């Protein structure tokens, strides 16, 4: 038998955007089930999502809380690839593994996997990520939510297993080369980022 929190979570869009103020859809669902959060804090779900939650809980519908954002047609992230510096921060931020690339190499977004959460935008140091509307316009569908949830849960399992292996690798590296500092030096990294920032600012000034 499913719990109330699980039934609530099943109605959420699984974009994991955190706009509700919680770290993901399941924590928000848990808070609703405990009576600690209202049902109107999910912009991706919008009015239809609020109506579903209200029906499940037997409560009145509420307008979407404007402090959380606005409901809009599906958008997906796009990386201006020539200006990407390969920092991998967007890859780390994506909750559903919709961005591929490697350190110091160009990254790209897989639009069919992107949930439009926008979490990749703030960490980008060169502002080379924008959100573009899906063409033709469409809403986020239940099958999208199911696929996104599966990718998110798979990523969570992988991330939970990662810290121990990373610590082991770091310890092994430090024992093997105790006198060697990380490369490239910070000054070189700063030059790369500053040059990329200058390109990004120049590009924006021409728009």
């Amino acid at each position: 038998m499913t719990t109330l929190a699980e039934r609530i979570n099943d109605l959420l869009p699984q974009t994991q955007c955190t706009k509700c103020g919680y770290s993901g859809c399941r924590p928000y669902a848990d808070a609703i089930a405990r009576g600690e959060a209202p049902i109107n804090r999910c912009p991706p779900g919008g009015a239809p999502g609020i109506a579903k939650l209200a029906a499940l809980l037997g409560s009145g519908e509420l307008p979407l809380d404007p402090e959380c954002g606005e409901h809009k047609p599906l958008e997906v992230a796009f990386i201006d690839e020539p200006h990407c510096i390969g920092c991998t921060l967007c890859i780390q931020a994506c909750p559903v593994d919709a961005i591929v690339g490697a350190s110091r190499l160009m990254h790209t977004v897989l639009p069919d996997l992107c949930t439009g959460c926008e979490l990749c935008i703030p960490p980008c140091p060169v502002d080379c990520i924008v959100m573009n509307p899906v063409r033709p316009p469409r809403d986020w569908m239940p099958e999208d939510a199911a696929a996104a949830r599966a990718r998110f849960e798979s990523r969570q399992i992988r991330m939970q297993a990662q810290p121990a292996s990373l610590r082991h690798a770091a310890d092994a590296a430090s024992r093997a080369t105790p006198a060697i500092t990380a490369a490239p030096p910070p000054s070189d990294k700063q030059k790369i980022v500053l040059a990329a920032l200058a390109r990004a600012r120049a590009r924006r000034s021409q728009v």
Side-chain angles (χ1 to χ4, degrees), residues 2 39 41 55 69 72 82 84 93 116 118 120 126 154 192 201-202:
T2 58
I39 61 174
R41 297 186 61 83
K72 52 188 176 182
C84 174
E118 303 180 9
C120 58
V126 293
S154 176
I192 293 171
R201 294 191 186 102

Side-chain angles (χ1 to χ4, degrees), residues 27-61:
Y28 179 43
D30 290 340
I32 294 175
R34 293 192 300 265
E36 297 174 358
I39 61 174
N40 65 336
R41 297 186 61 83
C42 178
I50 294 171
K52 292 177 182 178
L53 292 172
L56 173 65
L57 299 172
S59 64
E61 296 181 28

Side-chain angles (χ1 to χ4, degrees), residues 178-202:
I180 299 177
T181 58
S187 60
D188 290 346
K189 290 183 179 179
Q190 290 171 359
K191 290 177 182 178
I192 293 171
V193 172
L194 289 173
L197 283 169
R199 293 196 301 270
R201 294 191 186 102

Side-chain angles (χ1 to χ4, degrees), residues 1-63:
M1 182 177 179
T2 58
T3 66
L4 177 59
E6 289 170 338
R7 295 198 297 273
I8 293 171
N9 191 42
D10 289 340
L11 296 179
L12 295 177
Q14 305 302 317
T15 59
Q16 315 301 335
C17 66
T18 74
K19 293 177 181 177
C20 61
Y22 293 84
S23 60
C25 293
R26 181 55 193 261
Y28 179 43
D30 290 340
I32 294 175
R34 293 192 300 265
E36 297 174 358
I39 61 174
N40 65 336
R41 297 186 61 83
C42 178
I50 294 171
K52 292 177 182 178
L53 292 172
L56 173 65
L57 299 172
S59 64
E61 296 181 28
L62 298 170

Side-chain angles (χ1 to χ4, degrees), residues 131-192:
M131 301 302 297
N132 288 335
V134 170
R135 299 297 182 196
R138 70 177 185 89
D139 289 325
W140 188 247
M141 303 300 291
E143 52 268 33
D144 296 316
R149 181 176 180 174
R151 293 194 303 274
F152 173 72
E153 291 176 349
S154 176
R155 184 177 189 274
Q156 290 296 101
I157 292 172
R158 188 181 74 249
M159 295 299 290
Q160 288 171 5
Q162 195 174 46
S165 62
L166 287 178
R167 286 195 300 271
H168 176 75
D171 290 343
S174 64
R175 287 193 299 270
T177 54
I180 299 177
T181 58
S187 60
D188 290 346
K189 290 183 179 179
Q190 290 171 359
K191 290 177 182 178
I192 293 171

